[in-house]
């Protein structure tokens, strides 16, 4: 699978205005919603935050892979924030 098929330029953020993990998750979820990749932003955010409560997805070096599973996901995809 080509990673380029799972994201697009509008889902890559350099220096986003948010700094907290929760705010960045919400910001990126809005972008996924605007691209039509999720149908219910609130349900998706809830699923990501529930997953984060089970255990952090931080990998170190300021890298994390927050994710969630719910029926509002239209297509597997990802956002990147640096």
């Amino acid at each position: 699978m080509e990673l380029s098929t799972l994201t697009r330029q509008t889902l890559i953020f350099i220096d986003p205005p948010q700094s907290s993990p929760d705010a960045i998750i919400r910001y990126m979820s809005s972008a996924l919603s605007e691209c039509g990749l999720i149908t219910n932003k609130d349900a998706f955010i809830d699923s990501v935050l529930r997953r984060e409560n089970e255990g952090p997805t931080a990998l170190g070096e300021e890298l994390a892979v927050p994710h969630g599973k719910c029926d509002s996901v239209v297509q597997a995809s990802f956002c990147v924030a640096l």
Side-chain angles (χ1 to χ4, degrees):
M1 175 179 288
E2 292 282 329
L3 287 179
S4 62
T5 64
L6 297 176
T7 195
R8 52 186 81 169
Q9 246 180 339
T10 57
L11 297 175
I12 299 172
F13 305 100
I14 308 299
D15 294 322
Q18 291 71 22
S19 59
S20 75
D22 186 71
I24 290 175
I25 287 168
R26 292 176 187 284
Y27 181 75
M28 295 171 84
S29 296
S30 291
L32 289 166
S33 179
E34 289 170 12
C35 289
L37 297 169
I38 58 175
T39 58
N40 184 328
K41 181 177 70 169
D42 293 331
F44 180 74
I45 290 169
D46 287 345
S47 74
V48 173
L49 295 178
R50 269 196 316 274
R51 171 57 186 90
E52 285 293 300
N53 285 332
E54 292 174 8
T57 58
L59 302 173
E61 302 296 324
E62 296 188 31
L63 176 64
V65 186
H67 57 282
K69 292 182 181 180
C70 69
D71 292 336
S72 71
V73 175
V74 174
Q75 177 183 336
S77 56
F78 67 89
C79 287
V80 177
L82 304 171

